[in-house]
Amino acid sequence: MNRLLIIILSLLIFIAFSIHVHAQKTDTGISEPPYIYWLDGKLHAKWVENGKLKHQENLNLDFPKKYLGLGVDTEVLTNSFLKTAGTTQKYSKVSNITVISDIHGQYDLMVELLKNQGVIDENLNWKYGKGHLVINGDILDRGDKVTEILWLAFKLEQQAIKAGGKLHYLLGNHELMVLTGDHRYMNQKYVQAAEIMGTSFTDLYGFNSVLGHWIRQCPTIVSINDLLFVHAGISPEFFNRGYDAKKVNKIFFDQILSPLPIKPNQEEDYLFLTGVDGPVWYRGYFEEGALTEQFIDETLAFFKTNRIIVGHTSFETVTTHFGGKIIGVDSSVKNGEYGEVLIIENGIKFRGTKSGERIKLEANTD
């Protein structure tokens, strides 16, 4: 009898625990900012407030200001569908550069870093004048405030242009994954939000959405002054294939992230550039003995640059490698506890901490 009672009690405890876990997983008391998309010649929006679907068709002019705090009207959103990014991404004579990478939905930490380092003001508006802010890939996945970061970056891009500055958002491996249907690192919140909105997560970043189209126009490789920016790095195989930045950006724009089928003569490029030795996945800079300094020098000479700035591989701070020729800017912002930015002022490089401190990179790696 006692044994039967124990079995029954165990079953009841198991059932109660299962119900509790299921309730946690299916909690729909979430909120998610609007996703705006183009349909039948008009802008429409869907979003979630406290677990409830909200939607609006044929958006009025002030919708982006009211619901997203963008400081722009719907004309800017409409025009974003008409713009295509250039494949040649080269900029010179830029005095001030700030670089952040691998944010992964950690909106609050990103805002704290950018505020304390003077890139944005207390109202989250551009404060950096003619400076350039580089987001070196991987806004998407992991954290639960991805959409907030995307709309903030979208707004800052518009404000930077008006001030004579620039925001660069580079493609990372997680942008590639999300846009090509690989959602293994997606926060559970977005599964629930998509279900409430009656759509799929893939469609939230579809070709007819503002955010989806915008991300697809992001470059993979950018040059600013004597710096080359790429999310993961340039592998020996990449180098041996003779890709230049313009060609890679074009293949990502026209083929990899295009709504059109891959052309037969581009399949090899597609497989390589989206693979482990491609520019958004490579990790060889940080694998002991994988590369020689001669290879680094040859790569720099090929791209006519002095340093390569990468994210993708996490450290506790901004780091330097190969005598300062490689700078890693993934400082584990994704964990939401601490992070840094790389700051370059008139060629002098600093680690910018979340408290606002600036620490000069060591002289022997500069």
Side-chain angles (χ1 to χ4, degrees), residues 90 223 226-228 234 239 243-245 285 293-308 325-326:
K90 290 187 177 182
S223 294
D226 64 345
L227 307 168
L228 186 79
I234 305 298
F239 184 77
Y243 290 115
D244 60 19
Y285 294 140
E293 192 150 350
Q294 179 182 348
F295 168 73
I296 300 298
D297 290 339
E298 290 173 352
T299 304
L300 295 174
F302 177 78
F303 284 101
K304 298 179 181 179
T305 191
N306 291 331
R307 289 172 179 81
I308 300 175
K325 297 170 186 175
I326 305 295

Side-chain angles (χ1 to χ4, degrees), residues 91-239:
Y91 304 85
S92 60
K93 299 180 181 179
V94 180
S95 299
N96 296 299
I97 305 169
T98 295
V99 191
I100 188 170
S101 188
D102 296 80
I103 304 165
H104 286 300
Q106 296 294 341
Y107 172 84
D108 297 321
L109 182 51
M110 172 192 175
V111 166
E112 185 175 7
L113 280 162
L114 297 186
K115 276 184 181 179
N116 290 342
Q117 293 299 337
V119 177
I120 61 176
D121 63 21
E122 289 299 315
N123 296 315
L124 310 187
N125 292 313
W126 184 261
K127 187 184 175 183
Y128 207 35
K130 296 182 179 180
H132 285 217
L133 171 64
V134 180
I135 301 176
N136 210 28
D138 281 5
I139 288 176
L140 302 183
D141 278 339
R142 292 199 168 98
D144 64 356
K145 290 188 177 180
V146 167
T147 316
E148 289 87 342
I149 296 173
L150 290 172
W151 283 124
L152 174 59
F154 185 93
K155 176 185 80 169
L156 292 176
E157 181 183 65
Q158 310 300 319
Q159 294 180 336
I161 291 171
K162 290 182 178 179
K166 184 74 176 176
L167 180 144
H168 308 270
Y169 176 17
L170 274 67
L171 290 171
N173 60 303
H174 285 269
E175 279 73 31
L176 175 65
M177 291 167 71
V178 168
L179 294 180
T180 56
D182 184 346
H183 303 147
R184 76 185 95 156
Y185 294 103
M186 178 177 57
N187 191 285
Q188 184 67 18
K189 168 188 173 182
Y190 297 103
V191 177
Q192 298 175 12
E195 288 177 353
I196 293 169
M197 287 186 277
T199 188
S200 69
F201 187 71
T202 299
D203 287 341
L204 293 178
Y205 294 100
F207 299 105
N208 68 330
S209 76
V210 172
L211 293 177
H213 180 81
W214 179 57
I215 297 172
R216 284 176 171 83
Q217 299 303 307
C218 291
T220 306
I221 303 175
V222 170
S223 294
I224 306 175
N225 299 340
D226 64 345
L227 307 168
L228 186 79
F229 295 85
V230 58
H231 178 65
I234 305 298
S235 69
E237 181 62 22
F238 181 107
F239 184 77

Side-chain angles (χ1 to χ4, degrees), residues 237 240-241 243 247 251-252 255-256 262-279:
E237 181 62 22
N240 291 337
R241 286 170 177 257
Y243 290 115
K247 181 176 181 179
I251 293 172
F252 271 89
Q255 295 293 318
I256 297 173
I262 299 295
K263 295 178 181 178
N265 64 343
Q266 294 282 357
E267 289 178 355
E268 186 178 348
D269 288 329
Y270 178 94
L271 291 173
F272 173 76
L273 291 173
T274 60
V276 295
D277 288 325

